[in-house]
Amino acid sequence: MACLLAVMLLPEARPSYAQEVRFKTLRYEEDYSAIQPDSADFYSQVKHIPLGKKHSYLSLGGEVRYQYFWYKNPGWGSEPEDQDGFMLSRILTHADLHWGNHFRLFAQLQSSFAAGNTEPASPVDENPLDIHQLMMEADLYAKNNQRLFLRMGRQELSYGSQRLISVREGPNSRQSFDAARLIYDAKYLRADAFYANYVQGRKGIFDERFWDGSSQLWGTYVTLPQISSFPGVDLYYLGLSKKSVFADAVGRERRHSLGTRIWKEASGVSFDFEAVYQFGSISMSQIRAWTVSMDASYKPHMERLAPVFGIKSELISGDRTPGDRLLNTFNPLYPRGAYFGLASLIGPYNLTDVHPYVQWEVCRRITWSMDYDLFWRMGREDGLYAVNGALIHDGRGIKHKGIGKQLGTDVNFRPGRFLDFKVEFTWFDTGKFLRFAGLGKSIYMAGFTAAVKY
């Protein structure tokens, strides 16, 4: 009945451009060069505006997203109650200029607002207007299905499974970097070398600073794509320099991450394994940290509407001995915001996590998901951290590892190519660690998201 209602209420449009619209996480990766300039429909004309010169055109697009959230016992009872909940809104709009085959400019504005919060909103939730992306791209070599190009300016970065570098889609404001990137792209290899500065969000209008140097990121990322039955492989090195606060060290850290990811997407069994080792220094301490993560799923060889059964698990190192001038706390760098669900209660620091889940495409437009997450501290002598790295509790004097259990479910409704609706519920049952830390109340969260992309 729900599927029938979805089809009746908002039937998907099928104009001539439908097969050419492919929205991507990184909007600058979309390609509308194949749209014919003389297309009759208005939307195609907006996505491909000819500029006279051969292979030159302007493409316009954007996104509008509204979210409503309601929490009971926010902060496990440590934060003020809000009986009415709060609203978040975000507007993104961009222009993509292609001049010939070998040069382009991409610009994107972002505006985000928060309403109804019990406490002042951070720049992550409220940033009235800023230049989110402004970059140029120029080919240095393009021949025989090989391409070497330079991408320079303010831009979003996203690598692999977004465990370490992400666009941060979950929170209200997406994140970006001022970066210079040299990228080689061929059929069986993609290699990216870059140097970047993280863009610190501010709550004014056009007040984000360019290349301020407060948080620096550099590295190389190499991807060998999946070929037939062989899995894809990522190899990378990432360097970080920024001020950080951990339970056992505070100061400017210089951290190096060596990692690999092995992944495969298939109709039956899919998997994603990733391992990272970190070293460096912070204040007077040396850094030695690591993480291993896994995401494996199985979809029965049945009809298209078969459910997907999966399990995720992560081992994320925490500090072992306070005061020994050796920091073992893993730093996830710039991860995706909704790391363990839209509620975003815990960050990927000092953690052991087991996370079974099921996803079912109820019909072509509706998907239902449910997951059950169990959390423990990896190290008894380290604390509990939020998604943004803020220290929730330093963990001192508490030997219990059990943080809690989280049950989440959501229903995603996509009535058409441009619209997306999502309803989500989360229950977090506190464990012994949180109760001994004075954070003993269970959290309940309900959220609703409505988004349109164009």
Side-chain angles (χ1 to χ4, degrees):
M1 179 63 69
C3 299
L4 179 60
L5 181 62
V7 174
M8 292 175 62
L9 287 179
L10 284 165
E12 183 176 8
R14 291 182 175 84
S16 59
Y17 60 81
Q19 298 301 316
E20 300 171 352
V21 175
R22 293 291 183 270
F23 297 128
K24 296 189 176 183
T25 301
L26 298 171
R27 298 301 300 268
Y28 59 73
E29 289 188 345
E30 297 172 6
D31 182 8
Y32 298 106
S33 59
I35 294 180
Q36 297 300 317
D38 58 351
S39 177
D41 60 86
F42 173 75
Y43 185 75
S44 293
Q45 295 175 6
V46 171
K47 302 306 287 185
H48 187 118
I49 304 172
L51 298 178
K53 179 180 170 64
K54 188 177 181 181
H55 303 300
S56 299
Y57 68 95
L58 178 67
S59 182
L60 305 177
E63 173 189 342
V64 179
R65 187 181 77 172
Y66 287 91
Q67 294 181 303
Y68 167 79
F69 293 103
W70 172 84
Y71 284 84
K72 183 178 181 180
N73 304 323
W76 296 283
S78 66
E79 299 175 8
E81 287 283 356
D82 183 2
Q83 301 297 329
D84 302 322
F86 59 93
M87 290 285 299
L88 301 176
S89 62
R90 182 179 74 193
I91 300 174
L92 292 164
T93 184
H94 68 260
D96 188 6
L97 170 66
H98 292 253
W99 192 253
N101 283 326
H102 306 295
F103 182 81
R104 69 188 290 214
L105 290 172
F106 185 89
Q108 185 179 48
L109 298 178
Q110 178 172 240
S111 177
S112 54
F113 290 92
N117 303 63
T118 56
E119 297 182 351
S122 72
V124 173
D125 284 335
E126 187 165 79
N127 192 341
L129 187 62
D130 75 275
I131 300 174
H132 183 58
Q133 298 193 78
L134 180 59
M135 68 176 185
M136 74 87 176
E137 181 181 296
D139 283 1
L140 304 179
Y141 175 84
K143 192 175 181 180
N144 300 326
N145 294 322
Q146 301 180 67
R147 185 179 176 221
L148 178 67
F149 58 99
L150 177 69
R151 187 175 285 160
M152 181 174 290
R154 181 163 294 179
Q155 56 195 281
E156 293 181 338
L157 300 181
S158 175
Y159 292 101
S161 58
Q162 299 192 59
R163 288 189 178 97
L164 297 180
I165 302 178
S166 164
V167 299
R168 199 179 62 189
E169 171 62 18
N172 206 27
S173 298
R174 290 167 65 129
Q175 64 188 3
S176 61
F177 299 79
D178 293 326
R181 303 168 63 188
L182 188 64
I183 304 170
Y184 173 76
D185 193 12
K187 186 175 182 180
Y188 299 117
L189 174 68
R190 181 182 173 92
D192 191 336
F194 63 92
Y195 175 81
N197 279 262
Y198 176 71
V199 178
Q200 299 287 346
R202 299 173 183 271
K203 294 182 67 175
I205 295 177
F206 296 135
D207 60 349
E208 279 73 12
R209 299 173 182 174
F210 281 87
W211 299 90
D212 68 355
S214 61
S215 182
Q216 302 169 30
L217 176 70
W218 63 92
T220 58
Y221 201 101
V222 178
T223 297
L224 305 173
Q226 176 181 330
I227 302 174
S228 185
S229 60
F230 293 94
V233 177
D234 295 355
L235 301 168
Y236 57 87
Y237 158 76
L238 302 172
L240 174 74
S241 176
K242 62 174 290 191
K243 289 188 67 176
S244 299
V245 177
F246 300 97
D248 194 41
V250 178
R252 189 168 190 90
E253 64 172 318
R254 191 173 181 89
R255 186 181 295 245
H256 308 277
S257 302
L258 295 173
T260 184
R261 173 176 171 251
I262 303 174
W263 49 276
K264 184 177 181 180
E265 298 178 358
S267 57
V269 176
S270 297
F271 58 82
D272 187 324
F273 300 102
E274 191 160 359
V276 185
Y277 176 73
Q278 294 183 333
F279 59 96
S281 62
I282 176 172
S283 187
M284 301 297 292
S285 300
Q286 295 298 306
I287 296 172
R288 300 291 185 271
W290 57 272
T291 185
V292 177
S293 59
M294 176 271 293
D295 181 358
S297 63
Y298 171 70
K299 183 173 183 178
H301 293 283
M302 298 166 57
E303 68 277 3
R304 182 175 57 87
L305 303 181
V308 176
F309 303 96
I311 185 168
K312 300 178 185 178
S313 182
E314 295 186 291
L315 303 176
I316 306 172
S317 69
D319 197 52
R320 293 194 293 264
T321 307
D324 64 349
R325 294 191 177 183
L326 181 62
L327 181 67
N328 307 112
T329 308
F330 183 80
N331 188 335
L333 307 186
Y334 303 96
R336 56 183 182 268
Y339 205 93
F340 299 109
L342 197 60
S344 301
L345 303 176
I346 295 176
Y349 303 76
N350 184 36
L351 206 63
T352 299
D353 161 57
V354 178
H355 184 176
Y357 63 92
V358 59
Q359 298 174 343
W360 184 32
E361 190 178 3
V362 179
C363 67
R364 188 163 58 91
R365 304 173 192 273
I366 299 178
T367 304
W368 169 78
S369 302
M370 177 174 286
D371 59 275
Y372 185 64
D373 223 331
L374 297 95
F375 300 104
W376 301 267
R377 285 187 300 161
M378 170 65 76
R380 297 180 189 271
E381 303 299 330
D382 204 348
L384 179 65
Y385 299 81
V387 176
N388 63 358
L391 192 60
I392 298 174
H393 193 281
D394 62 15
R396 300 289 170 82
I398 303 177
K399 297 304 180 183
H400 298 287
K401 286 189 172 184
I403 300 170
K405 298 168 287 186
Q406 178 176 290
L407 178 65
T409 186
D410 65 74
V411 177
N412 198 298
F413 173 36
R414 293 186 175 91
R417 190 178 302 275
F418 307 100
L419 297 175
D420 196 345
F421 301 98
K422 186 175 184 179
V423 179
E424 180 168 341
F425 300 93
T426 300
W427 168 58
F428 192 103
D429 184 28
T430 56
K432 287 186 177 181
F433 170 76
L434 285 172
R435 291 197 292 270
F436 274 81
L439 304 170
K441 293 185 177 181
S442 296
I443 293 178
Y444 301 85
M445 187 278 286
F448 172 72
T449 299
V452 56
K453 290 185 178 181
Y454 56 92

